[in-house]
Amino acid sequence: MKPFARMILVSSLALAAGCVSRIDLEHWKLEPCDAATTAEIARLVEKGASRDGRVWNDNVSHKEWERRQYELRDGTTIVSESSPLRFGTNTVCVAVAATSEGNYIQIADSMFKTTEILGRHRAGWGYILPCAASFGSGEDERLVVMKAPRTYHNWSQVYVFDQSFKCVWESDEIKDRTGWRAVVSPSHPDSVFLYNKHVACYRLVRVNVHDVTAKQMKGAR
């Protein structure tokens, strides 16, 4: 096979496998919690905290998900769906919408969710949706969604949406598909934590790009 033809074949296979660059319109990071913060978040999870209408954690069995599935007019199947979440001036439901082209994270109006679809973002083939939460305030309010990106792989990915329902950041894959919980702590009201007792505790932190660039330039001198 000629080198050029081989390059086309490899590129085609990569696209077929879903190898696309992850979204990074805004800059966020999953910052590991220290021991004291991890203990605090673990206590909040045990107490069933974060029931303020801005946080949803999946407590439904796989069998129940199958019973709740429904189809939209365009043939899209809603595989899993959150309870209503307050996000800005909206109350929304976050769902995994399955199509023949792949699965999407779908954000819809909680009252008219079959017709008022506010945003969709392509997010692999996995359909497990362990948690979602809105956090921050004013123009800085964001919606974080965790979803399994691949079928039959024990990984999750974190997605951040802005108030126009556009995905502005995707994380790298992290371990476990089902054990994650979103938590908003009274100690950090403008942050959100992602906790999994078998893996880690992370605080989702926005990165100031100007500070990162300045540090890189300083280090290069």
Side-chain angles (χ1 to χ4, degrees), residues 28-69:
W28 295 81
K29 66 177 180 179
L30 294 172
E31 182 176 87
C33 303
D34 58 29
T37 304
T38 300
E40 177 197 353
I41 300 304
R43 283 195 300 271
L44 290 173
V45 170
E46 289 298 321
K47 291 178 180 178
S50 301
R51 294 178 179 175
D52 61 352
R54 299 186 71 190
V55 176
W56 171 80
N57 289 308
D58 172 26
N59 292 307
V60 178
S61 67
H62 179 73
K63 196 171 185 179
E64 182 65 12
W65 276 132
E66 290 182 338
R67 189 184 70 80
R68 293 185 184 185
Q69 291 180 17

Side-chain angles (χ1 to χ4, degrees), residues 50-109:
S50 301
R51 294 178 179 175
D52 61 352
R54 299 186 71 190
V55 176
W56 171 80
N57 289 308
D58 172 26
N59 292 307
V60 178
S61 67
H62 179 73
K63 196 171 185 179
E64 182 65 12
W65 276 132
E66 290 182 338
R67 189 184 70 80
R68 293 185 184 185
Q69 291 180 17
Y70 62 93
E71 195 168 293
L72 301 180
R73 292 176 184 174
D74 63 0
T76 298
T77 299
I78 300 302
V79 183
S80 53
E81 188 173 54
S82 74
S83 57
L85 286 165
R86 289 191 296 108
F87 179 43
T89 59
N90 299 276
T91 301
V92 302
C93 287
V94 178
V96 175
T99 72
S100 59
E101 299 173 350
N103 293 346
Y104 291 78
I105 293 173
Q106 175 176 291
I107 305 167
D109 181 90

Side-chain angles (χ1 to χ4, degrees), residues 144-186:
V144 60
V145 180
M146 185 169 271
K147 179 186 172 294
R150 294 184 285 168
T151 308
Y152 307 120
H153 288 78
N154 196 29
W155 300 93
S156 288
Q157 210 163 350
V158 179
Y159 303 81
V160 176
F161 292 83
D162 65 14
Q163 291 188 39
S164 65
F165 310 104
K166 181 177 183 178
C167 184
V168 293
W169 184 77
E170 296 177 5
S171 74
D172 293 324
E173 293 183 355
I174 54 178
K175 289 182 180 179
D176 205 349
R177 297 188 299 171
T178 60
W180 291 98
R181 294 291 179 265
V183 182
V184 174
S185 165

